[in-house]
Amino acid sequence: MVRLVIRRVGLAIPTLIGVSMIVFILMTVVPGSPEAGLVPEDATPAERQAVRNQLGLDDPLPVRYFHWAVDALQGDLGRSQQRRREVTDLLVQAWGNTFVLALVSAVFGIALGLLLGYIAGTRRGKLLDRVISVVSLAGLSIPSFFLAIILLALFAGGLKWFPSGGASFDDPVTAVRSLVLPVLSGSLITMAITARVTRAGIVDVFGADFVETLRAKGLTEFEVRRHVMRNAISPVLTTSGVQIGALLGGSVLVETIFRWPGMGLLLYNAISSRDLVVVQGATLVIALTFVIINLLVDLLQAGIDPRVRGAVA
Amino acid sequence: MTENLIMSRRGVLRLMGLSAAAVAGAGGLAACGSSSGAGSSDAGGTGGTLTIAMSAANIPFPSTPPNQGYEGYRFVGNNIYDALTHLDVEQSETLPTPQPGLAESWEVSPDLRTYTFTLRQGVTFHDGTDFNADAVLFQLRRLKDPDFEFYSQNDAATAAATVRYIDTWEKVDDHTVVLTTTQKYAWLHWDMLSVYFPSPAVVQQYGNDDYNAHANGTGPFTMTQYVDGESMELTRNEAYWRGPAKLDKIVLYPQPEAASRLSMLQSGEVNWAEVPSPDSIDQLEADGYQVFLGKYPHGIMPRFNMFREPFKDNLELRQALNYALDREGTAALINDVGYPAKQWVPEGHPDYAPDNPGYSYDVEKAKQLLSEAGYQPGQLNLTFGYTTGGSGNMFPDVMMQKLQADFKAIGVDVTLKPMEWTVLLSISLDGLNSDKWDDIDVLWASPAAGMLPTGYNATFMSQRPGGQPNAAGLDDAKVDEYLTAASEQTEEADQHRYLQMMMDQAVSQAYFLFWMHDLNLRVLSPDVQGYVQPQSWWVDFTQISASGA
């Protein structure tokens, strides 16, 4: 287990460096100048140059990256001139909001997906299985932003049951109300993937020889299904890890539509305004989140499944 | 609320023709009189809370100036701060012009190089400190003097266009400041509209970097809550020098998605929504919402790349494309929230060239001119760069598809090149002759066309002070001459006369695609009272109340 952790952490460092370098290069080659939003449309060359100097935009690319990386290693992700705030402050605020949304979305999506997948898997070929298959396929097919707009029009604009957006944590009732629509929109794919993977795993494991052995040994059906679930859960954990990572990265579209001030919205605005330091910082945090989630999933898998534990030992 | 401000779109269009003559700036420039302001005198009143869904992607930060374009000025700047002058946006009948603000009067020397501002006495910042000549000089040094301890490079960059012509500043006494200009210049009082004054004490206490969290001005509202990315709460300033506003509070929310703004309005979360989808208007009207449309100087006037062929030295081609535009058809596609443009400024604007009819929709004439320009149908393929969104850009996607079809009808193909707003701004700085952008033949432009005379420079002038960028390569000595002459006239009537000549030249030479004027779509819930839709992007919030919020 310790070796697994060391190996994963060792892999994480070049991953983070690689991601930050690629993003740095991409942001410099995409059209649009970072100073464009900071000066008037008719700024003189001197006025424009003053801002470029302030942002260090005329330094060679490797020099700029080196300066950023050295500062980042010391915990200084820079200051956004577009937002007039420290990048770290922006990230802490946005990541906190996304974390809440992602956590609730993940719990809701995975729990519902597990339940639906279990029901479908244990009733293979029956009507309920087919209905759940259609629902999960729809979940994969309907774009989250489309669902978000439909939910908004129906439950916010029409029925006025829920607020149309914003992250409000003033009291539990308000918090729950503000979470309902973004969670429904954001967790749909997680629910659908989890349901399909769970169903496939259960169907697969139910066909294994050891299930017949368990039944022959006189175990109750409940105990048999417990063993089946334990064996079927491994791929679910893997996909859940990826889904949680994606949710923690923030959904640009869902967060924009619901005015949820998280990582997705922060990143979208930063890319749109060519706010390089925020894009760099946000990407780093998202990459780091993926690395940590994957590590946790691996550890969890190793804890649950002795075969995995043996493979990494 | 003025009853005639709520009307059908067709009604608005009809009224435009009748009201054209009424839109004329008036009054002498050399000595503007004092005004005590129009106080609402509703001290302690409960005008309710106005909640607004802006189209901006974020809450404009409350710097001096704010960001997020005109929404920053409209919702944040003009509510927290005052400037030496302010636009009379409390009325809808005429094009707003600078009126006394923190300066109760000003005088301009005959050579138009020295402006003497007499400051209003008894005005205090929200922190209780006095507004005076020292506060004026403090802010000017923040924007103009790199050696000043509190010089703000960020604010200086953003405010560059408004303080560009200021050469020196001097305090005569506590209530008099003298500004000199770098050249003969008649429009400094227009520039001063956007130079806001923060409390020097607050800037000194928190520094430039932390100022936004403590923004403090003399305006009708104080900033009582600011959560970057989420919301801003503005609370009535009971000690406002013009008399307290009626509203208790204004709460701002950013929402760039039109569908989401609509839901916010329909759910009752906001009672003011900027630019909802035009398709929603009929339903909103049926549901009792107040749909406002009104003529004002803003439109979509794409610019030809005049650095090279096919548009350089080819008047017939530029005219052909102007005749090819089915402007009525475009207006119908966007549910008549815009209307056909004849010139760069709307008819009735004081700079409108009275004897120039502009370009009608005439396909046969367009085809004939295309042929005279040296192109047969199918020979020309134009690359059109346009933004896909952004505040004040109307509805680019549907409009561009219509334009593409219009040009196709005369045998001109158009390759659409969508881009983000930041990219369009970058092109404005780089120019269409830059290696990065020289593939673009026509470039989207959404100017505040004639809202301020100072705005013409960025689009019309070829030779500009300080080497300002000439993005599309327009180079016409007559245009330069007229615009320069206008900025050097003492009397407003003379300024407009020269600007009309400039406009006439620009229309005759078809320097732009004179396409659509915007009607400033805005929807308010039934409980909002006292709103006046001015001919401007700015709004007076002091007379508004919201009984149901």
Side-chain angles (χ1 to χ4, degrees):
Chain A
M1 196 74 85
V2 175
R3 197 183 299 171
L4 171 69
V5 173
I6 292 171
R7 196 166 62 185
R8 288 294 192 203
V9 171
L11 279 172
I13 293 169
T15 302
L16 295 176
I17 292 173
V19 166
S20 63
M21 286 179 79
I22 290 169
V23 171
F24 206 91
I25 292 167
L26 284 177
M27 285 300 291
T28 55
V29 298
V30 294
S33 307
E35 76 276 17
L38 298 173
V39 297
E41 185 187 2
D42 60 347
T44 65
E47 290 160 357
R48 186 183 185 186
Q49 190 59 47
V51 176
R52 289 189 66 83
N53 292 343
Q54 183 190 17
L55 299 176
L57 294 173
D58 289 332
D59 292 338
L61 193 61
V63 173
R64 289 169 55 197
Y65 179 78
F66 179 75
H67 286 155
W68 175 83
V70 168
D71 289 344
L73 279 173
Q74 297 169 39
D76 178 10
L77 293 174
R79 181 177 172 83
S80 164
Q81 299 304 339
Q82 310 268 5
R83 302 284 289 260
R84 309 243 177 131
R85 289 180 63 194
E86 298 301 317
V87 173
T88 310
D89 291 346
L90 287 165
L91 291 175
V92 167
Q93 180 187 344
W95 199 87
N97 288 325
T98 290
F99 179 76
V100 172
L101 182 60
L103 189 68
V104 179
S105 297
V107 169
F108 178 77
I110 292 171
L112 188 60
L114 275 172
L115 179 66
L116 292 176
Y118 176 80
I119 293 170
T122 53
R123 288 163 178 74
R124 186 183 179 192
K126 296 182 178 171
L127 179 63
L128 207 50
D129 177 29
R130 288 174 187 167
V131 170
I132 290 171
S133 293
V134 169
V135 169
S136 59
L137 184 63
L140 287 174
S141 310
I142 298 174
S144 56
F145 73 88
F146 179 74
L147 179 68
I149 290 172
I150 298 295
L151 291 176
L152 258 185
L154 201 60
F155 295 110
L159 297 169
K160 303 180 184 178
W161 288 356
F162 303 106
S164 65
S168 179
F169 305 119
D170 295 341
D171 58 77
V173 175
T174 310
V176 169
R177 289 186 76 238
S178 70
L179 274 164
V180 169
L181 297 184
V183 163
L184 284 175
S185 306
S187 63
L188 188 68
I189 290 178
T190 302
M191 180 276 292
I193 290 176
T194 307
R196 291 176 75 84
V197 172
T198 305
R199 178 192 178 278
I202 287 175
V203 168
D204 190 41
V205 174
F206 258 124
D209 292 341
F210 81 90
V211 175
E212 290 306 315
T213 307
L214 291 174
R215 284 187 174 129
K217 288 171 71 176
L219 267 64
T220 64
E221 190 59 23
F222 176 78
E223 286 172 323
V224 169
R225 290 187 179 190
R226 189 168 61 83
H227 281 282
V228 168
M229 275 304 285
R230 184 163 178 158
N231 281 276
I233 203 76
S234 190
V236 177
L237 280 178
T238 306
T239 54
S240 297
V242 174
Q243 288 301 307
I244 292 170
L247 288 168
L248 283 170
S251 167
V252 168
L253 293 168
V254 169
E255 289 189 357
T256 301
I257 290 168
F258 289 110
R259 211 164 20 89
W260 192 271
M263 293 294 287
L265 188 56
L266 178 72
L267 194 57
Y268 170 73
N269 285 335
I271 292 172
S272 300
S273 58
R274 304 292 182 269
D275 196 347
L276 181 59
V277 286
V278 174
V279 176
Q280 281 292 108
T283 313
L284 191 70
V285 168
I286 291 169
L288 193 61
T289 303
F290 263 96
V291 166
I292 291 172
I293 293 290
N294 281 337
L295 176 63
L296 290 176
V297 168
D298 285 348
L299 292 175
L300 199 59
Q301 273 185 319
I304 291 176
D305 193 336
R307 292 169 300 178
V308 176
R309 197 158 52 235
V312 299
Chain B
M1 175 171 42
T2 309
E3 195 172 313
N4 68 358
L5 286 174
I6 307 173
M7 61 184 73
S8 71
R9 274 147 278 143
R10 291 295 177 191
V12 170
L13 296 173
R14 276 197 303 275
L15 189 69
M16 276 171 202
L18 299 174
S19 64
V23 186
L29 172 68
C32 286
S34 173
S35 164
S36 60
S40 54
S41 301
D42 192 24
T46 52
T49 298
L50 187 68
T51 46
I52 299 173
M54 304 182 297
S55 65
N58 194 3
I59 295 291
F61 54 59
S63 287
T64 52
N67 70 340
Q68 300 291 347
Y70 268 90
E71 285 196 292
Y73 286 93
R74 177 160 65 244
F75 296 121
V76 174
N78 287 334
N79 283 327
I80 297 177
Y81 302 102
D82 288 305
L84 292 181
T85 55
H86 87 102
L87 289 176
D88 51 344
V89 287
E90 63 277 6
Q91 51 83 33
S92 61
E93 285 74 29
T94 63
L95 187 72
T97 54
Q99 306 296 320
L102 288 176
E104 62 181 13
S105 66
W106 62 91
E107 290 191 358
V108 189
S109 65
D111 66 355
L112 293 177
R113 284 177 174 272
T114 304
Y115 284 69
T116 302
F117 289 94
T118 302
L119 306 182
R120 197 174 296 279
Q121 299 190 33
V123 176
T124 57
F125 289 101
H126 300 153
D127 65 344
T129 57
D130 289 334
F131 168 78
N132 52 30
D134 290 328
V136 173
L137 267 53
F138 183 89
Q139 176 65 351
L140 291 177
R141 293 189 71 193
R142 279 185 84 218
L143 302 177
K144 294 281 289 182
D145 181 3
D147 296 327
F148 183 45
E149 180 186 358
F150 295 99
Y151 175 72
S152 168
Q153 185 162 11
N154 291 320
D155 283 357
T158 318
T162 54
V163 295
R164 183 173 292 140
Y165 294 96
I166 296 175
D167 186 22
T168 65
W169 49 90
E170 183 187 354
K171 170 185 172 182
V172 175
D173 57 43
D174 274 355
H175 304 291
T176 311
V177 291
V178 174
L179 308 185
T180 63
T181 56
T182 55
Q183 62 189 65
K184 194 173 183 183
Y185 187 56
W187 293 329
L188 190 66
H189 60 310
W190 285 91
D191 287 340
M192 287 298 102
L193 290 165
S194 307
V195 179
Y196 296 127
F197 294 96
S199 161
V202 173
V203 174
Q204 288 166 339
Q205 182 178 354
Y206 296 102
N208 287 324
D209 283 354
D210 290 332
Y211 172 77
N212 282 350
H214 309 276
N216 199 292
T218 61
F221 293 89
T222 61
M223 188 181 79
T224 43
Q225 189 180 50
Y226 169 39
V227 184
D228 179 31
E230 298 183 34
S231 64
M232 177 181 282
E233 180 190 83
L234 304 169
T235 301
R236 175 175 48 195
N237 171 16
E238 299 291 353
Y240 187 46
W241 57 271
R242 298 176 74 199
K246 290 181 177 175
L247 285 166
D248 294 334
K249 290 182 188 296
I250 299 174
V251 182
L252 306 173
Y253 298 108
Q255 182 45 273
E257 290 300 316
S260 300
R261 287 197 298 277
L262 180 64
S263 291
M264 291 173 78
L265 184 71
Q266 290 175 319
S267 66
E269 289 167 69
V270 299
N271 41 25
W272 173 307
E274 293 285 277
V275 205
S277 163
D279 299 336
S280 64
I281 294 176
D282 294 336
Q283 184 61 47
L284 287 169
E285 283 178 327
D287 291 344
Y289 289 94
Q290 306 177 66
V291 176
F292 286 90
L293 292 168
K295 191 168 101 171
Y296 77 130
H298 170 236
I300 305 301
M301 311 287 160
R303 308 156 83 172
F304 297 115
N305 184 345
M306 301 285 284
F307 286 109
R308 59 168 175 78
E309 291 183 339
F311 293 114
K312 185 177 182 179
D313 301 326
N314 198 334
L315 172 61
E316 290 80 8
L317 178 59
R318 300 194 299 267
Q319 290 179 325
L321 296 183
N322 266 293
Y323 279 115
L325 282 176
D326 175 15
R327 297 170 180 83
E328 291 282 358
T330 307
L333 274 178
I334 56 173
N335 212 1
D336 290 318
V337 300
Y339 65 101
K342 294 177 180 174
Q343 300 184 9
W344 207 70
V345 293
E347 196 167 5
H349 188 282
D351 302 334
Y352 187 87
D355 300 322
N356 195 322
Y359 300 92
S360 56
Y361 175 45
D362 190 334
V363 173
E364 291 310 312
K365 196 165 185 175
K367 286 179 177 174
Q368 180 194 335
L369 283 163
L370 182 68
S371 174
E372 291 173 16
Y375 295 96
Q376 296 306 311
Q379 280 189 332
L380 197 58
N381 190 326
L382 301 173
T383 299
F384 199 128
Y386 74 102
T387 183
T388 50
S391 177
N393 279 296
M394 297 185 72
F395 311 96
D397 288 325
V398 64
M399 290 171 68
M400 285 305 303
Q401 287 169 31
K402 173 63 175 156
L403 178 141
Q404 194 178 33
D406 290 348
F407 286 2
K408 184 73 177 173
I410 65 164
V412 174
D413 294 318
V414 174
T415 301
L416 300 182
K417 185 171 183 171
M419 55 184 65
E420 297 164 282
W421 177 239
T422 299
V423 177
L424 202 88
L425 292 176
S426 301
I427 297 174
S428 296
L429 294 171
D430 293 335
L432 287 174
N433 55 340
S434 156
D435 291 346
K436 288 185 281 186
W437 315 115
D438 62 1
D439 63 319
I440 295 173
D441 298 299
V442 193
L443 184 64
W444 178 273
S446 52
M451 206 172 292
L452 313 170
T454 47
Y456 292 124
N457 247 20
T459 304
F460 284 77
M461 284 285 273
S462 59
Q463 304 298 325
R464 304 171 188 187
Q468 293 168 53
N470 182 356
L474 198 164
D475 186 8
D476 184 323
K478 281 188 178 176
V479 167
D480 284 10
E481 178 191 333
Y482 297 146
L483 182 49
T484 303
S487 72
E488 295 178 345
Q489 300 304 307
T490 305
E491 297 299 323
E492 269 189 29
D494 293 331
Q495 295 169 18
H496 293 312
R497 184 166 51 82
Y498 277 106
L499 292 174
Q500 285 177 5
M501 291 160 71
M502 179 193 76
M503 204 59 65
D504 183 52
Q505 176 73 0
V507 176
S508 301
Q509 293 296 314
Y511 284 137
F512 306 92
L513 274 174
F514 302 99
W515 193 8
M516 296 298 295
H517 289 304
D518 185 20
L519 280 173
N520 202 11
L521 172 62
R522 180 169 289 146
V523 183
L524 277 58
S525 60
D527 62 305
V528 178
Q529 305 292 315
Y531 168 70
V532 172
Q533 176 120 324
Q535 295 180 33
S536 173
W537 259 330
W538 293 10
V539 168
D540 177 15
F541 285 92
T542 63
Q543 300 300 309
I544 297 173
S545 61
S547 57

